[in-house]
Amino acid sequence: VTVRIGLEIHVYLKTHSKLFCACSARFLEAPAPNTQVCALCTGQPGAKPMGVNAEALRLGLQVAQALGCTLMPGVRFQRKHYFYPDSPANYQRTATPHGTNGSLEGVRIRELHWEEDPGAYDLREGTVDYNRAGAPLLEIVTEPDLRDPAHARAFLAELRFLLDHLDANYEAAGLKADVNVSVPGGERVEVKNVNGLRNVETAIDHEVARQTEAISRGEPVGRETRHFDEVRGVTTRLRTKEEEADYRYMEDPDLPWLPLPPALLSETLLPEAPLARRTRFETAFGLARAEATTLLRERSLADAFEALASTLPPAAVAEFLQRDLRGELHARGLTFTASGISVAELTALLSGLGARSITPQVATRLLRERLDFGRSLVEGVRAEAAEKGTAEQAVGEAVVAALAENPKAVEDYRAGKATALNFLVGAVMKRLKGRAAPDVVRAAVEAGLGNLR
Ligand SMILES: [Zn+2]
């Protein structure tokens, strides 16, 4: 028997509106409390849901597919009753699973289902903000297959990768998880409502250590529910979990059985599962796992990579995209999609770099001008290449003239007098009025002397 860790992860789906009404689901962007609400999401008598948000259905199905789940032919929404100010209807709508028996990173996924978020109740002020109420959540329930904190970290990193690739989670809202941990000799302890992946990891670390230590001291670890203290990074006792709360589940009479017909499934399904695509990036393009993961984190960037790598060296493309491009995007808080940069522009930039008509420094400058001022990369590369051509021509002409005017220096150089080269370089620099790099001029003079020979 080993440590057993299971997770119930709540992901805020990245939709425009809430699960059952047209109110904005971007509750963090609300101007003030209770401004993104309606009769339905504040649970007013008689308000009935008119349907289920199609975006939430699409994203939930894609996540289920990416986790290798068996998809259900349909779902039913149930009312989960409880009494607390965050839910004026006194129940939360939660669906039966739409995906079951998946797996990720060696962890079995028991099931996935949709549910609505309750409001946010402030215990001290006694106020409630319902902007969040009705926001679409996806709950992902694992079997207790996570072996240790490191395994949990790897699992969560993979899950985050999938959610990012599918652009499925409202990232700013973070995610919440209930963490179940049991160590040999103890019972299952549940840590409720841990916010964010980092805290989930910390909570697991803390619980495994705490329970292991208690057992080693001969203290019993009974079944209980604990709270995670974000500030101190520890868990504290909440209540002894004697039995499951009675939620009096019942089918929601306002929402009929929701079929997930083959047509919806087939238009929703991804052409290639994200993990399979990553494996293909590794084998077909020779990318390391970390590189492929970075590129696939944003689907449009991965698509751009594939298009570019069909004509340009994949290794150089991957390096540029994940280091230079993502670095510049990250510094501006932009996604690749939001930047509006096209594959044609990147082709121009990377071809220019490959042909050495622009230097890496110039490439970076052009990229910045594109992001900050909207200057086209195609135009930028063309202008730089033309300028470079003109500059090279000017250097060439100056070298020819300087060599013709200084036959003595040329002769001295041929006789093995090294200082003569410096003199000739100086003569060219003078003609160019210093508008050229000394090493470029030196190379051009050496080439010119070689041609005279
Ligand atoms: Zn509403």
Side-chain angles (χ1 to χ4, degrees):
V1 194
T2 52
V3 172
R4 289 162 70 82
I5 305 164
L7 297 170
E8 287 174 29
I9 303 156
H10 288 83
V11 176
Y12 282 101
L13 290 173
K14 193 176 179 180
T15 61
H16 291 89
S17 53
K18 294 182 180 179
L19 194 50
F20 303 112
C21 61
C23 297
S24 170
R26 307 294 171 94
F27 51 88
L28 293 175
E29 291 145 46
N34 299 306
T35 49
Q36 296 180 170
V37 294
C38 68
L40 183 76
C41 56
T42 51
Q44 294 176 35
K48 284 172 187 276
M50 298 311 289
V52 187
N53 185 327
E55 278 180 292
L57 297 181
R58 181 177 61 82
L59 293 172
L61 286 167
Q62 286 188 341
V63 175
Q65 189 214 5
L67 291 169
C69 289
T70 305
L71 300 175
M72 298 289 116
V75 299
R76 182 171 278 290
F77 280 89
Q78 297 177 302
R79 293 179 175 181
K80 178 183 175 181
H81 294 86
Y82 70 94
F83 298 92
Y84 200 66
D86 65 0
S87 175
N90 294 334
Y91 60 80
Q92 178 186 23
R93 291 188 184 87
T94 167
T96 55
H98 62 272
T100 58
N101 296 320
S103 80
L104 182 69
E105 201 64 22
V107 177
R108 286 170 298 158
I109 306 294
R110 187 184 300 164
E111 54 109 333
L112 278 81
H113 64 261
W114 291 284
E115 59 183 46
E116 58 179 345
D117 201 26
Y121 177 51
D122 187 323
L123 269 168
R124 270 165 303 184
E125 302 287 329
T127 55
V128 199
D129 177 8
Y130 294 112
N131 285 338
R132 217 175 69 180
L137 287 172
L138 181 67
E139 180 163 343
I140 304 169
V141 185
T142 78
E143 298 289 349
D145 290 347
L146 295 149
R147 296 181 303 269
D148 51 41
H151 188 200
R153 258 185 288 285
F155 170 81
L156 290 170
E158 281 291 81
L159 181 63
R160 187 178 353 206
F161 164 69
L162 287 181
L163 294 173
D164 286 350
H165 180 78
L166 299 170
D167 201 17
N169 60 325
Y170 179 19
E171 207 173 352
L175 45 79
K176 295 185 283 192
D178 296 340
V179 181
N180 299 304
V181 177
S182 63
V183 305
E187 285 190 72
R188 194 181 79 145
V189 172
E190 187 176 28
V191 186
K192 284 292 225 187
N193 278 322
V194 186
N195 286 304
L197 289 182
R198 183 112 352 125
N199 286 328
V200 170
E201 294 172 8
T202 310
I204 292 172
D205 280 340
H206 175 78
E207 269 310 297
V208 171
R210 189 189 66 81
Q211 293 178 35
T212 307
E213 207 185 298
I215 300 273
S216 73
R217 281 200 306 264
E219 289 170 16
V221 173
R223 194 158 183 192
E224 63 172 334
T225 303
R226 296 178 73 87
H227 161 79
F228 180 69
D229 183 327
E230 290 186 14
V231 178
R232 293 188 296 148
V234 300
T235 64
T236 54
R237 194 181 184 102
L238 208 58
R239 60 178 182 260
T240 306
K241 196 167 189 180
E242 299 293 349
E243 58 197 337
E244 289 293 328
D246 180 12
Y247 291 122
R248 296 190 297 118
Y249 280 99
M250 63 170 269
E251 287 178 5
D252 191 324
D254 294 336
L255 287 160
W257 163 257
L258 176 71
L260 301 171
L264 172 64
L265 292 180
S266 60
E267 76 190 49
T268 294
L269 297 189
L270 304 162
E272 188 179 13
L275 297 181
R277 192 174 184 198
R278 185 174 64 184
T279 305
R280 184 167 62 76
F281 271 32
E282 289 170 41
T283 51
F285 302 116
L287 301 184
R289 165 63 57 94
E291 266 182 324
T293 301
T294 308
L295 288 174
L296 283 157
R297 212 167 266 288
E298 193 182 349
R299 218 185 318 175
S300 61
L301 185 66
D303 294 344
F305 168 77
E306 277 210 89
L308 292 163
S310 65
T311 54
L312 296 160
V317 175
E319 193 188 341
F320 183 83
L321 293 189
Q322 69 151 346
R323 196 192 53 198
D324 304 68
L325 178 60
R326 282 191 82 250
E328 296 295 333
L329 290 173
H330 184 74
R332 289 161 180 78
L334 281 175
T335 59
F336 176 64
T337 305
S339 78
I341 293 179
S342 67
V343 170
E345 286 183 282
L346 289 174
T347 304
L349 194 67
L350 288 162
S351 307
L353 270 173
R356 294 179 190 280
S357 56
I358 56 168
T359 63
Q361 291 77 7
V362 168
T364 302
R365 178 164 56 74
L366 291 176
L367 196 53
R368 289 176 180 165
E369 287 174 4
R370 170 66 177 83
L371 292 169
D372 296 334
F373 308 110
R375 186 186 182 204
S376 153
L377 284 173
V378 177
E379 283 305 307
V381 172
R382 190 179 296 152
E384 288 292 335
E387 204 170 293
K388 183 167 182 274
T390 313
E392 275 169 3
Q393 200 178 341
V395 170
E397 285 167 7
V399 168
V400 170
L403 297 188
E405 275 172 13
N406 298 289
K408 174 83 171 65
V410 172
E411 236 166 73
D412 288 349
Y413 175 78
R414 290 221 171 109
K417 209 170 157 189
T419 49
L421 181 63
N422 293 338
F423 174 80
L424 289 167
V425 169
V428 174
M429 291 296 281
K430 203 166 157 190
R431 285 194 150 264
L432 293 169
K433 300 193 171 69
R435 282 193 304 259
D439 56 332
V440 171
V441 171
R442 177 172 290 268
V445 171
E446 283 177 324
L449 288 164
N451 288 341
L452 284 182
R453 201 169 283 157

